[in-house]
Amino acid sequence: MILWNTSIRTFFFFFWQLMIGQEYTNLILLVNFNWKKPNFGIFSVLIQLHSCREFPIKNGKALSFIYGSKQFKTKGGLAARTATSNVFRNAGYKCAMRALQSQCCSPDEVIFGPDFFQSLYCHLLCGLIFREEVQFVSSTFAHSIVHAFRTFEQVWEELCIDIREGVLTSRVTVPSIRMAMSKLLKPNSKLANLIHKKCTGLSNWYGLIPELFPNAKYIYGIMTGSMEPYLKKLRHYAGELPLLTADYGSSEGWIAANVNPQHPPECATYAVLPHIGYFEFIPLSDLDNTRGEPDFLCIDSQPVSLTEVKVGEEYEVVMTNPAGTEFLFD
């Protein structure tokens, strides 16, 4: 029954897209460890602007650890990239960031660099160059922020040398990145000495982020689910800065919005976004009742709609996105 319903929904999704003349020029790479080969989904731009009144930001910059290097062409000539790469490459993304007064302090050459470590190193360097303008620190996932500042612990002295001499380290070899950074990096011994003093004055790197970026208001990223184990270390770096967990999303489509971003990540509450796709919910009790049976994965549990869920019960989320593809999320 689920597969039959999915086929019907797939037909109407594509029929609707044809009727409105929806054109797609990109495919996204869908990540699933059970699949033997890359799978693709349709990419459609949707940017949502969430204004957090509790943490107003001024006209400044964001230290965003974002990366968008994975892409290739399909046989049909369409660009295939990760979902985040599609977002960062879209013209609407920068317009939205300008509207939010939080443009990334790193140039495109760093964001789309082919080498992860070189891009990460330059993200850190750009953050230090614009340290007074940084309004918040962000990444798609909490572990990326933790990884970035663990890397900082190892390379901070080298970063100080780059700032003091105004010359990028030789470990960054990508020509486009070196060219872009040369336009930002100028000799600044005063800044280098200040950063050196800040770092040597910390106790076990506690409160590193607010020390480096005194005007930062919060730290933002996905911090729930599988990201919760990183919260302890992230709070260590954040000191007194609040952690704002992002919305509930996936490569296949956005699922829900965090309705109380000022609350700690462990207390996050999400509201499903019904215009993103078609959502169904499988009661976990139904799944538990079939545990241990050799063919339990083939049993067709009856899902309920968004209006039929009950308070206090747990569900698996089933989303059918505009591509007509069905996905199951914990």
Side-chain angles (χ1 to χ4, degrees):
M1 182 64 72
I2 292 179
L3 294 178
W4 185 85
N5 287 339
T6 301
S7 298
I8 295 297
R9 292 196 298 272
T10 299
F11 169 79
F12 282 109
F13 269 126
F14 278 113
F15 179 76
W16 173 77
Q17 291 161 8
L18 289 172
M19 290 296 291
I20 66 173
Q22 179 70 55
E23 179 182 359
Y24 294 101
T25 58
N26 297 315
L27 294 177
I28 61 172
L29 298 174
L30 303 181
V31 179
N32 189 314
F33 295 109
N34 294 323
W35 291 334
K36 302 293 184 181
K37 58 183 180 179
N39 282 257
F40 304 98
I42 291 176
F43 173 72
S44 180
V45 178
L46 176 66
I47 294 180
Q48 297 175 320
L49 305 181
H50 294 282
S51 176
C52 186
R53 289 176 293 181
E54 289 80 5
F55 305 102
I57 59 175
K58 301 177 182 178
N59 188 19
K61 297 182 182 294
L63 174 54
S64 299
F65 296 101
I66 54 179
Y67 311 90
S69 59
K70 295 181 179 179
Q71 60 180 328
F72 60 89
K73 289 285 186 180
T74 66
K75 293 181 180 180
L78 294 177
R81 302 186 280 251
T82 59
T84 50
S85 295
N86 269 309
V87 173
F88 303 146
R89 287 184 180 276
N90 189 270
Y93 175 76
K94 288 188 176 181
C95 292
M97 292 301 100
R98 279 195 294 271
L100 290 171
Q101 301 181 359
S102 57
Q103 298 181 72
C104 180
C105 57
S106 301
D108 285 350
E109 291 82 359
V110 172
I111 297 172
F112 301 111
D115 183 271
F116 171 78
F117 178 80
Q118 294 183 44
S119 291
L120 170 55
Y121 183 92
C122 290
H123 274 315
L124 291 168
L125 185 56
C126 289
L128 295 177
I129 293 172
F130 296 106
R131 65 182 297 269
E132 295 288 345
E133 300 177 56
V134 171
Q135 297 287 301
F136 64 92
V137 177
S138 71
S139 188
T140 306
F141 298 105
H143 77 79
S144 297
I145 304 175
V146 171
H147 177 69
F149 287 102
R150 278 179 172 163
T151 302
F152 180 86
E153 292 183 35
Q154 301 168 0
V155 302
W156 70 273
E157 290 178 298
E158 191 171 359
L159 289 166
C160 287
I161 293 174
D162 290 357
I163 294 172
R164 180 175 289 107
E165 298 180 355
V167 179
L168 187 62
T169 176
S170 59
R171 73 164 68 201
V172 178
T173 59
V174 178
S176 59
I177 295 181
R178 294 195 65 86
M179 178 65 71
M181 292 302 299
S182 68
K183 298 176 183 179
L184 302 176
L185 192 57
K186 308 298 179 185
N188 191 335
S189 58
K190 181 178 180 181
L191 177 58
N193 292 337
L194 176 62
I195 295 171
H196 190 279
K197 182 179 179 180
K198 295 283 186 183
C199 291
T200 54
L202 291 172
S203 174
N204 196 29
W205 300 102
Y206 177 80
L208 171 62
I209 295 176
E211 280 296 315
L212 294 179
F213 312 106
N215 295 314
K217 304 294 191 303
Y218 57 86
I219 299 171
Y220 180 83
I222 295 175
M223 302 177 186
T224 54
S226 60
M227 292 297 110
E228 284 195 26
Y230 298 94
L231 289 180
K232 181 178 179 180
K233 188 64 175 179
L234 186 55
R235 285 196 171 99
H236 182 81
Y237 287 133
E240 299 301 318
L241 281 181
L243 304 182
L244 274 65
T245 185
D247 297 335
Y248 182 9
S250 69
S251 299
E252 296 77 18
W254 227 236
I255 299 172
N258 182 4
V259 296
N260 293 303
Q262 74 274 23
H263 288 181
E266 296 88 344
C267 303
T269 302
Y270 296 98
V272 174
L273 305 172
H275 60 293
I276 299 296
Y278 184 82
F279 293 95
E280 296 168 294
F281 303 84
I282 300 177
L284 279 179
S285 56
D286 286 358
L287 295 177
D288 291 338
N289 290 338
T290 62
R291 301 296 184 190
E293 298 182 20
D295 57 348
F296 80 92
L297 290 176
C298 299
I299 291 178
D300 192 0
S301 298
Q302 291 296 322
V304 298
S305 68
L306 181 58
T307 59
E308 297 173 308
V309 296
K310 298 178 181 179
V311 176
E313 290 195 16
E314 295 186 40
Y315 299 88
E316 294 278 3
V317 181
V318 182
M319 179 182 70
T320 304
N321 64 15
T325 311
E326 189 173 54
F327 301 93
L328 181 68
F329 301 95
D330 291 330

